[in-house]
Amino acid sequence: MIQFSRRGLGGRKEAEKILDDWLSGRVDDAIRQAGTRKSVLARVLHAVFSGLQARPNDPSYAEELSRQTVLIELAHLSERMRSLDMVVQAAPMLGLLGTVVGMIDAFSVLAVVDGIVDPGALAGGIYVALTTTAVGLAIALFAFFIATWLESRIDRERTIMEALVSAAIHGRVGPNSKAA
């Protein structure tokens, strides 16, 4: 979440205003705003605007510049997701390892005692086994929900980027727009 904040995830309203300025012919305002904003969407729009200004008769150039910018931004946003996925997968295994260690401890009590086994000594190993399993699963579930939420934010940002790039190059399409 800190990484998302640093990269400037979000800012859709600002990006929409920048795009409105661009489409309304306030090109200088749009370029200035896109250049000074620190959001992912503003950086993508700035790439589109740069491409359209550099080669006004070649929208494919602007599309390529924006595609490269989108890829770089998405790579930065996804940078640490693999680590979070690792936690999701490793936590249950660590819990299982604790379960095995706890059960070994419980059975070792049985192995060294002749006769009646102290239930307290046996319960200690079982306690370790169950506690580590529960903690591992709790950590995995928490990390899973966080990872899923973060991945949905990245997907939403990708969709918005694509829509902004298309609108900046080709204009808006919607129920109130008129076909050319």
Side-chain angles (χ1 to χ4, degrees):
M1 288 184 255
I2 292 170
Q3 174 183 328
F4 283 10
S5 175
R6 286 183 182 159
R7 295 295 312 160
L9 186 72
R12 184 176 185 174
K13 287 182 183 180
E14 289 178 343
E16 290 289 342
K17 183 184 178 328
I18 294 168
L19 181 60
D20 286 343
D21 286 347
W22 176 262
L23 294 174
S24 299
R26 295 184 297 275
V27 174
D28 292 336
D29 289 342
I31 292 171
R32 182 181 42 75
Q33 290 176 15
T36 59
R37 305 287 187 205
K38 296 191 190 249
S39 75
V40 170
L41 299 175
R43 289 190 293 273
V44 169
L45 283 174
H46 193 266
V48 176
F49 300 161
S50 297
L52 288 171
Q53 281 198 314
R55 296 186 188 171
N57 296 327
D58 186 9
S60 64
Y61 180 70
E63 286 176 348
E64 182 58 26
L65 281 180
S66 63
R67 185 183 71 78
Q68 291 174 11
T69 304
V70 166
L71 288 173
I72 290 167
E73 293 294 341
L74 290 173
H76 284 298
L77 291 174
S78 300
E79 231 169 40
R80 293 190 171 76
M81 292 304 294
R82 189 170 292 256
S83 298
L84 194 53
D85 287 338
M86 184 180 66
V87 170
V88 170
Q89 294 181 18
M93 288 188 275
L94 288 171
L96 182 59
L97 177 62
T99 301
V100 171
V101 169
M103 294 309 289
I104 289 171
D105 188 38
F107 284 116
S108 70
V109 170
L110 290 174
V112 296
V113 174
D114 289 332
I116 298 177
V117 176
D118 176 22
L122 189 58
I126 295 171
Y127 173 79
V128 168
L130 295 177
T131 302
T132 57
T133 301
V135 169
L137 290 174
I139 290 170
L141 282 171
F142 180 74
F144 172 74
F145 289 124
I146 295 295
T148 301
W149 179 72
L150 293 174
E151 286 171 359
S152 73
R153 295 273 323 263
I154 292 170
D155 287 342
R156 183 175 38 220
E157 199 78 358
R158 176 185 295 116
T159 301
I160 293 168
M161 284 184 221
E162 290 172 3
L164 287 173
V165 167
S166 177
I169 295 172
H170 305 290
R172 290 192 190 269
V173 176
N176 298 330
S177 3
K178 296 179 179 161

Coordinates of all heavy atoms in Angstrom, one line a residue, residues 85-177:
D85 N 2.5 -12.9 -2.5 CA 2.1 -14.3 -2.9 C 2.9 -15.4 -2.3 O 2.4 -16.4 -1.9 CB 2.1 -14.4 -4.4 CG 1.1 -13.7 -5.2 OD1 0.0 -13.3 -4.6 OD2 1.3 -13.4 -6.4
M86 N 4.2 -15.1 -2.1 CA 5.1 -16.0 -1.4 C 4.6 -16.2 0.1 O 4.6 -17.4 0.6 CB 6.5 -15.6 -1.4 CG 7.5 -16.5 -0.8 SD 9.2 -15.9 -0.8 CE 9.1 -14.5 0.3
V87 N 4.2 -15.2 0.7 CA 3.7 -15.3 2.1 C 2.4 -16.1 2.1 O 2.3 -17.0 3.0 CB 3.4 -13.9 2.7 CG1 2.7 -14.0 4.0 CG2 4.7 -13.1 2.9
V88 N 1.5 -15.9 1.1 CA 0.3 -16.6 1.1 C 0.6 -18.1 0.9 O -0.1 -19.0 1.6 CB -0.6 -16.2 -0.1 CG1 -1.8 -17.1 -0.4 CG2 -1.1 -14.7 0.1
Q89 N 1.6 -18.5 0.2 CA 1.9 -19.9 -0.1 C 2.7 -20.5 1.0 O 2.6 -21.7 1.4 CB 2.5 -20.1 -1.4 CG 1.6 -19.7 -2.5 CD 2.2 -19.9 -3.9 OE1 3.2 -20.6 -4.1 NE2 1.6 -19.3 -4.9
A90 N 3.6 -19.7 1.6 CA 4.6 -20.3 2.6 C 4.0 -20.4 4.0 O 4.3 -21.3 4.7 CB 5.8 -19.4 2.6
A91 N 3.1 -19.5 4.4 CA 2.5 -19.5 5.7 C 1.9 -20.8 6.1 O 2.1 -21.4 7.2 CB 1.6 -18.3 5.9
P92 N 1.0 -21.4 5.2 CA 0.4 -22.7 5.6 C 1.5 -23.8 5.7 O 1.4 -24.7 6.6 CB -0.5 -23.0 4.5 CG -0.8 -21.7 3.8 CD 0.4 -20.9 4.0
M93 N 2.5 -23.7 4.9 CA 3.6 -24.8 5.0 C 4.4 -24.6 6.3 O 4.7 -25.6 6.9 CB 4.5 -24.7 3.7 CG 3.8 -25.2 2.5 SD 5.0 -25.3 1.1 CE 4.9 -23.6 0.5
L94 N 4.6 -23.4 6.7 CA 5.3 -23.2 8.0 C 4.4 -23.7 9.1 O 4.9 -24.3 10.1 CB 5.7 -21.7 8.2 CG 6.8 -21.3 7.3 CD1 7.0 -19.7 7.4 CD2 8.1 -22.0 7.6
G95 N 3.1 -23.4 9.0 CA 2.2 -23.9 10.0 C 2.2 -25.5 10.0 O 2.2 -26.1 11.1
L96 N 2.2 -26.1 8.9 CA 2.3 -27.5 8.8 C 3.6 -28.1 9.4 O 3.6 -29.1 10.1 CB 2.1 -28.0 7.4 CG 2.1 -29.5 7.1 CD1 1.0 -30.1 7.9 CD2 2.0 -29.8 5.6
L97 N 4.7 -27.3 9.1 CA 6.0 -27.7 9.7 C 5.9 -27.7 11.3 O 6.3 -28.6 11.9 CB 7.1 -26.8 9.2 CG 8.5 -27.1 9.9 CD1 9.0 -28.5 9.5 CD2 9.4 -26.0 9.4
G98 N 5.2 -26.6 11.8 CA 5.0 -26.6 13.2 C 4.2 -27.7 13.7 O 4.4 -28.2 14.8
T99 N 3.2 -28.1 12.9 CA 2.3 -29.2 13.3 C 3.1 -30.5 13.4 O 3.0 -31.3 14.4 CB 1.2 -29.4 12.3 OG1 0.4 -28.2 12.2 CG2 0.3 -30.6 12.6
V100 N 4.0 -30.7 12.4 CA 4.8 -31.9 12.4 C 5.7 -31.9 13.6 O 5.9 -32.9 14.4 CB 5.6 -32.1 11.1 CG1 6.6 -33.2 11.2 CG2 4.6 -32.3 10.0
V101 N 6.4 -30.8 13.9 CA 7.3 -30.7 15.0 C 6.5 -30.9 16.3 O 7.0 -31.6 17.2 CB 8.0 -29.3 15.1 CG1 8.7 -29.1 16.4 CG2 9.0 -29.2 13.9
G102 N 5.4 -30.3 16.5 CA 4.6 -30.5 17.7 C 4.1 -32.0 17.9 O 4.2 -32.5 19.0
M103 N 3.8 -32.6 16.8 CA 3.4 -34.0 16.9 C 4.6 -34.9 17.2 O 4.5 -35.9 18.0 CB 2.7 -34.5 15.6 CG 1.3 -33.8 15.4 SD 0.2 -33.8 16.8 CE -0.3 -35.5 16.8
I104 N 5.7 -34.6 16.6 CA 7.0 -35.3 17.0 C 7.2 -35.2 18.5 O 7.6 -36.2 19.2 CB 8.2 -34.8 16.1 CG1 8.0 -35.3 14.7 CG2 9.5 -35.3 16.7 CD1 9.0 -34.7 13.7
D105 N 7.1 -33.9 19.0 CA 7.3 -33.7 20.4 C 6.3 -34.5 21.2 O 6.7 -35.1 22.2 CB 7.2 -32.2 20.7 CG 7.6 -31.8 22.1 OD1 8.5 -32.4 22.6 OD2 6.9 -31.0 22.7
A106 N 5.1 -34.5 20.8 CA 4.0 -35.3 21.6 C 4.3 -36.8 21.6 O 4.3 -37.4 22.6 CB 2.7 -35.0 21.0
F107 N 4.7 -37.3 20.4 CA 5.0 -38.7 20.3 C 6.3 -39.1 21.0 O 6.5 -40.2 21.5 CB 4.9 -39.2 18.9 CG 3.6 -39.3 18.4 CD1 3.1 -38.6 17.3 CD2 2.7 -40.3 18.9 CE1 1.8 -38.7 16.8 CE2 1.4 -40.4 18.5 CZ 1.0 -39.6 17.4
S108 N 7.2 -38.1 21.1 CA 8.5 -38.4 21.8 C 8.2 -38.6 23.3 O 8.9 -39.4 23.9 CB 9.5 -37.3 21.5 OG 9.2 -36.1 22.2
V109 N 7.3 -37.9 23.8 CA 6.9 -38.2 25.2 C 6.4 -39.6 25.4 O 6.7 -40.3 26.4 CB 5.8 -37.1 25.6 CG1 5.2 -37.5 27.0 CG2 6.3 -35.7 25.6
L110 N 5.6 -40.0 24.4 CA 5.1 -41.4 24.5 C 6.2 -42.4 24.4 O 6.2 -43.5 25.0 CB 4.0 -41.7 23.4 CG 2.7 -41.0 23.5 CD1 1.9 -41.2 22.3 CD2 2.0 -41.4 24.7
A111 N 7.2 -42.1 23.6 CA 8.3 -43.1 23.3 C 9.2 -43.3 24.5 O 9.7 -44.4 24.7 CB 9.1 -42.6 22.1
V112 N 9.4 -42.3 25.3 CA 10.4 -42.4 26.4 C 9.7 -42.8 27.7 O 10.4 -43.1 28.7 CB 11.1 -41.0 26.6 CG1 12.0 -40.7 25.4 CG2 10.2 -39.9 27.0
V113 N 8.4 -42.8 27.8 CA 7.8 -43.1 29.1 C 7.3 -44.5 29.0 O 6.6 -45.0 28.1 CB 6.6 -42.1 29.3 CG1 5.8 -42.5 30.5 CG2 7.1 -40.7 29.4
D114 N 7.6 -45.3 30.1 CA 7.1 -46.6 30.3 C 5.9 -46.5 31.2 O 6.0 -45.9 32.3 CB 8.1 -47.6 30.9 CG 9.2 -47.9 29.9 OD1 8.9 -47.9 28.7 OD2 10.3 -48.2 30.3
G115 N 4.8 -47.0 30.8 CA 3.6 -47.0 31.7 C 2.7 -45.8 31.4 O 2.4 -45.5 30.2
I116 N 2.3 -45.1 32.4 CA 1.3 -44.1 32.2 C 1.9 -42.8 31.8 O 2.9 -42.3 32.3 CB 0.5 -43.8 33.6 CG1 -0.2 -45.1 34.0 CG2 -0.4 -42.7 33.4 CD1 -0.9 -45.0 35.3
V117 N 1.3 -42.1 30.8 CA 1.9 -40.9 30.2 C 1.2 -39.7 30.9 O 0.0 -39.7 31.2 CB 1.6 -40.9 28.7 CG1 2.0 -39.5 28.1 CG2 2.2 -42.0 28.0
D118 N 2.0 -38.7 31.2 CA 1.5 -37.5 31.8 C 0.7 -36.7 30.7 O 1.3 -36.3 29.7 CB 2.7 -36.6 32.3 CG 2.2 -35.3 32.9 OD1 1.1 -35.2 33.2 OD2 3.1 -34.4 32.9
P119 N -0.6 -36.5 30.9 CA -1.4 -35.8 29.9 C -0.9 -34.4 29.6 O -1.0 -33.9 28.5 CB -2.8 -35.8 30.5 CG -2.8 -36.8 31.6 CD -1.4 -37.0 32.0
G120 N -0.3 -33.7 30.6 CA 0.2 -32.4 30.5 C 1.4 -32.4 29.5 O 1.5 -31.4 28.6
A121 N 2.3 -33.3 29.6 CA 3.4 -33.4 28.7 C 3.0 -33.7 27.2 O 3.5 -33.1 26.3 CB 4.4 -34.4 29.1
L122 N 2.0 -34.5 27.1 CA 1.4 -34.9 25.8 C 0.7 -33.7 25.2 O 0.8 -33.4 24.0 CB 0.5 -36.1 25.9 CG 0.0 -36.7 24.6 CD1 1.2 -37.2 23.7 CD2 -0.9 -37.9 24.9
A123 N 0.0 -33.0 26.0 CA -0.8 -31.8 25.6 C 0.1 -30.7 25.1 O -0.3 -29.9 24.2 CB -1.7 -31.3 26.7
G124 N 1.3 -30.5 25.6 CA 2.2 -29.5 25.2 C 2.5 -29.6 23.7 O 2.5 -28.6 23.0
G125 N 2.8 -30.8 23.3 CA 3.2 -31.1 21.9 C 2.0 -30.8 21.0 O 2.1 -30.3 19.9
I126 N 0.8 -31.3 21.4 CA -0.4 -31.1 20.6 C -0.7 -29.6 20.6 O -1.1 -29.1 19.5 CB -1.6 -31.9 21.2 CG1 -1.2 -33.4 21.1 CG2 -2.9 -31.6 20.5 CD1 -2.2 -34.3 21.8
Y127 N -0.5 -28.9 21.6 CA -0.8 -27.4 21.7 C 0.1 -26.7 20.6 O -0.4 -25.9 19.9 CB -0.5 -26.9 23.1 CG -0.6 -25.4 23.2 CD1 -1.8 -24.7 23.2 CD2 0.6 -24.6 23.1 CE1 -1.8 -23.3 23.3 CE2 0.6 -23.2 23.2 CZ -0.6 -22.6 23.3 OH -0.7 -21.2 23.3
V128 N 1.4 -27.1 20.6 CA 2.3 -26.5 19.6 C 1.8 -26.8 18.2 O 1.8 -25.9 17.3 CB 3.8 -27.0 19.8 CG1 4.6 -26.6 18.7 CG2 4.3 -26.5 21.1
A129 N 1.4 -28.1 18.0 CA 1.0 -28.5 16.7 C -0.2 -27.7 16.2 O -0.3 -27.1 15.1 CB 0.6 -30.0 16.7
L130 N -1.2 -27.5 17.1 CA -2.5 -26.8 16.7 C -2.2 -25.3 16.6 O -2.8 -24.7 15.7 CB -3.6 -27.1 17.6 CG -4.0 -28.6 17.7 CD1 -5.1 -28.8 18.7 CD2 -4.5 -29.0 16.3
T131 N -1.4 -24.8 17.4 CA -1.2 -23.3 17.4 C -0.5 -22.9 16.1 O -0.8 -21.9 15.5 CB -0.4 -22.9 18.6 OG1 -1.1 -23.3 19.8 CG2 -0.1 -21.4 18.7
T132 N 0.6 -23.6 15.8 CA 1.3 -23.3 14.6 C 0.5 -23.4 13.3 O 0.6 -22.6 12.4 CB 2.6 -24.1 14.4 OG1 2.3 -25.5 14.4 CG2 3.6 -23.8 15.6
T133 N -0.4 -24.4 13.3 CA -1.3 -24.6 12.1 C -2.2 -23.4 12.1 O -2.4 -22.8 11.0 CB -2.1 -25.9 12.3 OG1 -1.2 -27.0 12.4 CG2 -3.0 -26.1 11.1
A134 N -2.8 -23.0 13.2 CA -3.8 -21.9 13.2 C -3.1 -20.6 12.8 O -3.7 -19.8 12.0 CB -4.4 -21.8 14.6
V135 N -1.9 -20.3 13.3 CA -1.2 -19.1 13.0 C -0.8 -19.1 11.5 O -1.0 -18.0 10.8 CB 0.0 -18.9 13.9 CG1 0.9 -17.8 13.4 CG2 -0.4 -18.7 15.3
G136 N -0.3 -20.2 11.0 CA 0.0 -20.2 9.6 C -1.2 -20.0 8.7 O -1.1 -19.2 7.7
L137 N -2.3 -20.6 9.0 CA -3.5 -20.4 8.2 C -4.0 -18.9 8.3 O -4.5 -18.3 7.3 CB -4.6 -21.4 8.6 CG -4.3 -22.8 8.2 CD1 -5.4 -23.7 8.8 CD2 -4.2 -23.0 6.7
A138 N -4.0 -18.4 9.5 CA -4.4 -17.0 9.7 C -3.6 -16.0 8.9 O -4.1 -15.1 8.2 CB -4.4 -16.6 11.2
I139 N -2.3 -16.2 8.9 CA -1.4 -15.3 8.2 C -1.6 -15.5 6.7 O -1.7 -14.5 5.9 CB 0.1 -15.6 8.5 CG1 0.4 -15.2 9.9 CG2 1.0 -15.0 7.5 CD1 1.7 -15.6 10.4
A140 N -1.8 -16.7 6.2 CA -2.1 -17.0 4.8 C -3.4 -16.3 4.4 O -3.4 -15.7 3.3 CB -2.1 -18.4 4.5
L141 N -4.4 -16.5 5.2 CA -5.7 -15.9 4.8 C -5.6 -14.3 4.7 O -6.1 -13.7 3.8 CB -6.8 -16.3 5.8 CG -7.3 -17.7 5.6 CD1 -8.2 -18.1 6.7 CD2 -8.1 -17.8 4.3
F142 N -5.0 -13.7 5.7 CA -4.9 -12.3 5.8 C -4.1 -11.8 4.5 O -4.5 -10.9 3.8 CB -4.2 -11.8 7.1 CG -4.0 -10.4 7.2 CD1 -5.1 -9.6 7.4 CD2 -2.7 -9.8 7.0 CE1 -4.9 -8.2 7.5 CE2 -2.6 -8.4 7.1 CZ -3.7 -7.6 7.3
A143 N -3.0 -12.4 4.3 CA -2.1 -12.1 3.1 C -2.9 -12.3 1.8 O -2.8 -11.5 0.9 CB -0.8 -12.8 3.1
F144 N -3.7 -13.4 1.7 CA -4.4 -13.7 0.5 C -5.5 -12.5 0.2 O -5.6 -12.1 -0.9 CB -5.2 -15.0 0.7 CG -6.1 -15.3 -0.4 CD1 -5.7 -15.7 -1.7 CD2 -7.5 -15.2 -0.2 CE1 -6.6 -15.9 -2.7 CE2 -8.4 -15.4 -1.2 CZ -8.0 -15.8 -2.5
F145 N -6.2 -12.1 1.3 CA -7.2 -11.1 1.1 C -6.5 -9.7 0.7 O -7.0 -9.0 -0.2 CB -8.1 -10.9 2.3 CG -9.0 -12.0 2.5 CD1 -9.0 -12.7 3.7 CD2 -9.9 -12.4 1.5 CE1 -9.9 -13.8 3.8 CE2 -10.8 -13.5 1.6 CZ -10.8 -14.2 2.8
I146 N -5.4 -9.4 1.3 CA -4.7 -8.2 0.9 C -4.2 -8.3 -0.5 O -4.3 -7.3 -1.3 CB -3.5 -8.0 1.9 CG1 -4.0 -7.7 3.3 CG2 -2.6 -6.8 1.4 CD1 -4.8 -6.4 3.5
A147 N -3.6 -9.4 -0.9 CA -3.0 -9.6 -2.2 C -4.1 -9.5 -3.3 O -4.0 -8.9 -4.3 CB -2.3 -11.0 -2.3
T148 N -5.3 -10.1 -3.0 CA -6.4 -10.0 -3.9 C -6.9 -8.6 -4.1 O -7.2 -8.2 -5.2 CB -7.6 -10.9 -3.4 OG1 -7.1 -12.3 -3.3 CG2 -8.7 -10.9 -4.4
W149 N -7.0 -7.9 -3.0 CA -7.4 -6.5 -3.1 C -6.4 -5.6 -3.9 O -6.8 -4.9 -4.7 CB -7.6 -5.9 -1.6 CG -8.0 -4.5 -1.6 CD1 -9.3 -4.0 -2.0 CD2 -7.2 -3.4 -1.3 NE1 -9.3 -2.6 -1.8 CE2 -8.0 -2.2 -1.4 CE3 -5.9 -3.3 -0.8 CZ2 -7.6 -1.0 -1.1 CZ3 -5.5 -2.0 -0.5 CH2 -6.3 -0.9 -0.7
L150 N -5.1 -5.8 -3.6 CA -4.1 -5.1 -4.3 C -4.1 -5.4 -5.8 O -4.0 -4.5 -6.6 CB -2.7 -5.3 -3.7 CG -2.5 -4.8 -2.3 CD1 -1.2 -5.2 -1.7 CD2 -2.7 -3.3 -2.2
E151 N -4.3 -6.7 -6.1 CA -4.3 -7.1 -7.5 C -5.5 -6.5 -8.2 O -5.4 -6.1 -9.4 CB -4.3 -8.6 -7.7 CG -2.9 -9.2 -7.4 CD -3.0 -10.7 -7.3 OE1 -4.0 -11.3 -7.4 OE2 -1.9 -11.3 -7.0
S152 N -6.6 -6.4 -7.5 CA -7.8 -5.7 -8.1 C -7.6 -4.3 -8.4 O -8.1 -3.7 -9.4 CB -9.1 -6.0 -7.3 OG -9.0 -5.2 -6.1
R153 N -6.9 -3.6 -7.5 CA -6.5 -2.2 -7.7 C -5.6 -2.0 -8.9 O -5.8 -1.1 -9.7 CB -5.8 -1.6 -6.5 CG -6.5 -1.5 -5.2 CD -7.4 -0.3 -5.0 NE -6.8 1.0 -5.4 CZ -6.2 1.9 -4.7 NH1 -5.9 1.7 -3.4 NH2 -5.8 3.0 -5.3
I154 N -4.7 -2.9 -9.1 CA -3.8 -2.9 -10.3 C -4.6 -3.1 -11.5 O -4.4 -2.4 -12.5 CB -2.6 -3.9 -10.1 CG1 -1.7 -3.5 -9.0 CG2 -1.9 -4.0 -11.5 CD1 -0.6 -4.5 -8.7
D155 N -5.5 -4.1 -11.5 CA -6.3 -4.3 -12.7 C -7.2 -3.1 -13.0 O -7.4 -2.8 -14.2 CB -7.2 -5.6 -12.5 CG -6.4 -6.9 -12.5 OD1 -5.3 -6.9 -13.1 OD2 -6.9 -7.9 -12.0
R156 N -7.8 -2.5 -12.0 CA -8.6 -1.3 -12.2 C -7.8 -0.2 -12.8 O -8.2 0.5 -13.8 CB -9.3 -0.9 -10.9 CG -10.3 0.2 -11.1 CD -11.0 0.6 -9.8 NE -10.1 0.4 -8.6 CZ -10.5 -0.1 -7.5 NH1 -11.8 -0.5 -7.3 NH2 -9.7 -0.2 -6.5
E157 N -6.6 0.0 -12.3 CA -5.7 1.0 -12.8 C -5.4 0.8 -14.3 O -5.3 1.7 -15.1 CB -4.5 1.1 -12.0 CG -3.8 2.4 -12.1 CD -4.4 3.6 -11.3 OE1 -5.4 3.4 -10.7 OE2 -3.8 4.7 -11.4
R158 N -5.1 -0.5 -14.6 CA -4.8 -0.9 -16.0 C -6.0 -0.5 -16.9 O -5.8 0.1 -18.0 CB -4.5 -2.4 -16.1 CG -4.3 -2.9 -17.5 CD -4.1 -4.4 -17.6 NE -2.9 -4.8 -16.9 CZ -3.0 -5.6 -15.8 NH1 -4.1 -6.0 -15.3 NH2 -1.9 -6.0 -15.2
T159 N -7.2 -0.8 -16.5 CA -8.3 -0.5 -17.3 C -8.5 1.0 -17.5 O -8.8 1.4 -18.7 CB -9.6 -1.1 -16.7 OG1 -9.4 -2.6 -16.5 CG2 -10.8 -0.9 -17.5
I160 N -8.3 1.7 -16.5 CA -8.5 3.2 -16.6 C -7.4 3.7 -17.5 O -7.6 4.6 -18.3 CB -8.4 3.8 -15.2 CG1 -9.6 3.4 -14.4 CG2 -8.3 5.3 -15.3 CD1 -9.5 3.8 -12.9
M161 N -6.1 3.2 -17.4 CA -5.1 3.7 -18.3 C -5.4 3.5 -19.7 O -5.2 4.4 -20.6 CB -3.8 2.9 -17.9 CG -3.0 3.4 -16.7 SD -1.5 2.4 -16.6 CE -1.5 2.1 -14.8
E162 N -5.9 2.3 -20.0 CA -6.2 1.9 -21.4 C -7.3 2.9 -21.9 O -7.3 3.3 -23.1 CB -6.6 0.5 -21.5 CG -5.5 -0.5 -21.3 CD -5.9 -1.9 -21.2 OE1 -7.1 -2.2 -21.4 OE2 -5.1 -2.8 -21.0
A163 N -8.3 3.1 -21.1 CA -9.4 4.0 -21.5 C -9.0 5.4 -21.7 O -9.4 6.1 -22.7 CB -10.6 3.9 -20.5
L164 N -8.1 5.9 -20.8 CA -7.6 7.3 -21.0 C -6.7 7.4 -22.2 O -6.8 8.4 -23.0 CB -6.8 7.7 -19.8 CG -7.6 8.0 -18.5 CD1 -6.6 8.2 -17.3 CD2 -8.5 9.1 -18.7
V165 N -5.9 6.4 -22.5 CA -5.0 6.5 -23.7 C -5.9 6.5 -24.9 O -5.7 7.4 -25.8 CB -4.1 5.3 -23.7 CG1 -3.4 5.1 -25.1 CG2 -3.0 5.4 -22.7
S166 N -6.9 5.7 -25.0 CA -7.8 5.6 -26.2 C -8.6 6.9 -26.3 O -8.7 7.5 -27.4 CB -8.8 4.4 -26.0 OG -9.7 4.4 -27.1
A167 N -9.1 7.5 -25.2 CA -9.8 8.7 -25.3 C -8.9 9.9 -25.7 O -9.3 10.7 -26.5 CB -10.5 9.0 -23.9
A168 N -7.7 9.9 -25.2 CA -6.8 11.0 -25.6 C -6.4 11.0 -27.1 O -6.3 12.0 -27.7 CB -5.5 10.9 -24.7
I169 N -6.3 9.8 -27.6 CA -5.9 9.7 -29.0 C -7.1 9.8 -30.0 O -7.1 10.5 -31.0 CB -5.2 8.3 -29.3 CG1 -3.9 8.4 -28.5 CG2 -4.9 8.1 -30.8 CD1 -3.1 7.1 -28.5
H170 N -8.2 9.1 -29.6 CA -9.4 8.9 -30.5 C -10.6 9.7 -30.1 O -11.6 9.7 -30.8 CB -9.7 7.5 -30.7 CG -8.6 6.6 -31.1 ND1 -8.1 6.7 -32.4 CD2 -7.8 5.7 -30.5 CE1 -7.1 5.9 -32.5 NE2 -6.9 5.2 -31.4
G171 N -10.6 10.3 -28.9 CA -11.8 11.0 -28.4 C -12.6 10.1 -27.5 O -12.4 8.9 -27.5
R172 N -13.5 10.7 -26.9 CA -14.4 9.9 -26.0 C -15.5 9.3 -26.8 O -16.1 9.9 -27.7 CB -15.0 10.8 -24.9 CG -14.0 11.3 -23.9 CD -14.8 11.9 -22.7 NE -13.9 12.6 -21.8 CZ -13.4 12.1 -20.8 NH1 -13.6 10.8 -20.5 NH2 -12.6 12.8 -20.0
V173 N -15.9 8.1 -26.3 CA -17.1 7.4 -26.9 C -18.0 7.2 -25.7 O -17.6 6.7 -24.7 CB -16.7 6.1 -27.5 CG1 -17.9 5.3 -28.0 CG2 -15.7 6.3 -28.6
G174 N -19.2 7.6 -25.9 CA -20.2 7.4 -24.8 C -21.6 7.7 -25.3 O -21.8 8.1 -26.5
P175 N -22.6 7.6 -24.4 CA -24.0 7.9 -24.8 C -24.2 9.3 -25.3 O -25.1 9.6 -26.1 CB -24.8 7.5 -23.6 CG -23.8 7.5 -22.4 CD -22.5 7.3 -23.0
N176 N -23.4 10.3 -24.8 CA -23.6 11.7 -25.1 C -22.7 12.2 -26.2 O -22.8 13.3 -26.6 CB -23.5 12.6 -23.9 CG -24.5 12.2 -22.8 OD1 -25.6 11.8 -23.1 ND2 -24.1 12.4 -21.6
S177 N -21.8 11.3 -26.7 CA -20.9 11.8 -27.7 C -21.5 11.5 -29.1 O -22.3 10.7 -29.3 CB -19.5 11.1 -27.7 OG -19.4 10.1 -26.8

